[in-house]
Amino acid sequence: RQEVRAVERGALLATMASKLPPGAISFSSKLKSVAGQGPDGTLLELQDGRQLLSKVVLGCDGVNSPIARWMGFSEPRYVGHMAFRGLADYAGGQPFESKVNYIYGRGVRAGFVPVSPTKVYWFICFNSETPGRKTTDGAALKREALELVRGWPDDLVAVMRSTPDDAVVKTPLVDRWLWPGLAPPASRGGVVLVGDAWHPMTPNLGQGACCALEDAVVLARHLAPAVLAGDDVGEALRRYESERWGRVFPLTARAGLVGALVQWGNPVVCAARDGVVIPRLVRLGPFLEHTNFECGLLDPAAPSA
Ligand SMILES: Cc1cc2nc3c(=O)[nH]c(=O)nc-3n(C[C@H](O)[C@H](O)[C@H](O)COP(=O)(O)OP(=O)(O)OC[C@H]3O[C@@H](n4cnc5c(N)ncnc54)[C@H](O)[C@@H]3O)c2cc1C
């Protein structure tokens, strides 16, 4: 059975953090660079001047990962689309059915989905030759986003208007295709990349965070037995990469191609998309076929394949 689940980032992080012993996480430890690697481990330099010598480093630091840069990965490629995202707040309860709502325009598309009894997530993707000037002024971002969907369905506009200014962000959409033979390996010594740091993908299939979670499960399954046995972790990290590459590379490519299709601005192509392709050819089952993926259970004690 296929269904879409939406979860607030804060709730996901709090749930995961609650499974760790108190004090296990050192917050606000921003990595500046990888200072070196030797037989004792990898030396990390933090922005506050501290240095950490680590046996294993999981580079899950997102699209602008300093660890990926150190490993020789190219900068993610801007694909020509920007996104606004927001989280509407309905203190008295939100009024929507539990389903994803999509609205397509010319070179602009939007959607919204309830994530909890009081919160509704929305997004707008739009074409833009360059990412433009970076701003964190939430009120200005919200005005800009509302301008893009002027005259669009009332529900969407109402959701956007119910969003606190500081809950609106604007993001350039980027990806990086892990071409075999061209992309560097996902690990070097005891350092390994996970999630967007390794395989940034455009959000057109809604799979970036899902893949990051799958990575974490598969990595834990390979890494935990090696760490517990005191073995060299390099081999476990390579097995993680070879298991995950076949999943993340095709998805990154497919997400990029779907993005090119749904972001078309040409009016004739948009008419065909809205009149024929989406209503007649897109069925939820095949459209969500990429979500039929089983990454296995997370059991650190289980032997890895
Ligand atoms: C518009 C849009 C819509 C999306 N929709 C979906 C969707 O519907 N479904 C889906 O599955 N995915 C979606 N995604 C993708 C999803 O957001 C990402 O794939 C996911 O957040 C990746 O998780 P991550 O943990 O790898 O990286 P991030 O979520 O980016 O987390 C990286 C973490 O590293 C920290 N960090 C960064 N730099 C440093 C540093 N130097 N030192 C220490 N820490 C650092 C950051 O603070 C952050 O906490 C969407 C993305 C966009 C842009």
Side-chain angles (χ1 to χ4, degrees):
R1 171 159 172 244
Q2 284 152 326
E3 59 186 307
V4 174
R5 298 262 176 118
V7 57
E8 223 179 301
R9 177 183 288 258
L12 177 68
L13 294 181
T15 305
M16 292 195 296
S18 72
K19 305 292 173 200
L20 294 172
I25 304 177
S26 166
F27 290 101
S28 304
S29 304
K30 197 141 187 168
L31 179 73
K32 186 171 157 208
S33 61
V34 179
Q37 197 171 45
D40 293 335
T42 306
L43 189 62
L44 304 176
E45 204 168 80
L46 304 190
Q47 286 193 354
D48 61 11
R50 277 181 295 153
Q51 290 199 325
L52 296 175
L53 184 64
S54 311
K55 283 245 178 288
V56 180
V57 177
L58 311 184
C60 46
D61 44 354
V63 289
N64 298 312
S65 164
I67 299 182
R69 214 168 291 132
W70 171 76
M71 289 171 69
F73 281 84
S74 57
E75 292 299 316
R77 173 187 69 108
Y78 174 60
V79 300
H81 311 149
M82 298 289 292
F84 282 106
R85 280 175 291 174
L87 198 58
D89 200 347
Y90 291 80
Q94 52 84 6
F96 300 101
E97 241 184 276
S98 179
K99 63 170 190 170
V100 192
N101 303 271
Y102 291 109
I103 305 126
Y104 292 90
R106 280 196 221 152
V108 184
R109 70 198 162 93
F112 62 92
V113 57
V115 293
S116 77
T118 57
K119 301 271 174 73
V120 180
Y121 163 76
W122 58 268
F123 69 87
I124 300 174
C125 294
F126 63 102
N127 298 347
S128 175
E129 260 175 45
T130 64
R133 200 169 53 87
K134 204 173 167 185
T135 171
T136 49
D137 176 350
L141 291 177
K142 198 161 107 180
R143 273 198 305 277
E144 201 188 322
L146 282 164
E147 191 54 39
L148 272 173
V149 294
R150 191 205 286 242
W152 283 37
D154 292 343
D155 276 355
L156 170 70
V157 174
V159 168
M160 292 169 67
R161 289 199 190 283
S162 305
T163 305
D165 290 348
D166 62 1
V168 181
V169 291
K170 185 180 177 187
T171 318
L173 301 187
V174 299
D175 68 10
R176 182 166 57 222
W177 294 26
L178 299 171
W179 292 106
L182 293 180
S187 67
R188 187 196 286 185
V191 181
V192 66
L193 294 179
V194 180
D196 276 11
W198 181 27
H199 46 72
M201 63 179 79
T202 52
N204 306 303
L205 297 175
Q207 286 296 296
C210 300
C211 276
L213 291 169
E214 292 168 10
D215 284 353
V217 171
V218 174
L219 177 61
R221 232 181 11 239
H222 286 291
L223 188 57
V227 171
L228 290 174
D231 292 344
D232 170 32
V233 296
E235 179 50 32
L237 300 184
R238 282 188 288 278
R239 274 189 274 119
Y240 149 78
E241 173 177 9
S242 71
E243 183 173 337
R244 290 300 296 154
W245 181 86
R247 168 86 174 141
V248 297
F249 175 61
L251 268 183
T252 307
R254 193 165 155 191
L257 298 173
V258 168
L261 182 82
V262 291
Q263 287 296 138
W264 265 329
N266 180 300
V268 178
V269 176
C270 287
R273 178 197 64 192
D274 299 345
V276 181
V277 178
I278 291 177
R280 305 242 171 109
L281 303 180
V282 175
R283 294 280 169 274
L284 200 57
F287 187 63
L288 291 179
E289 171 266 326
H290 60 271
T291 62
N292 290 335
F293 181 78
E294 178 54 75
C295 69
L297 295 175
L298 179 58
D299 178 1
S304 59

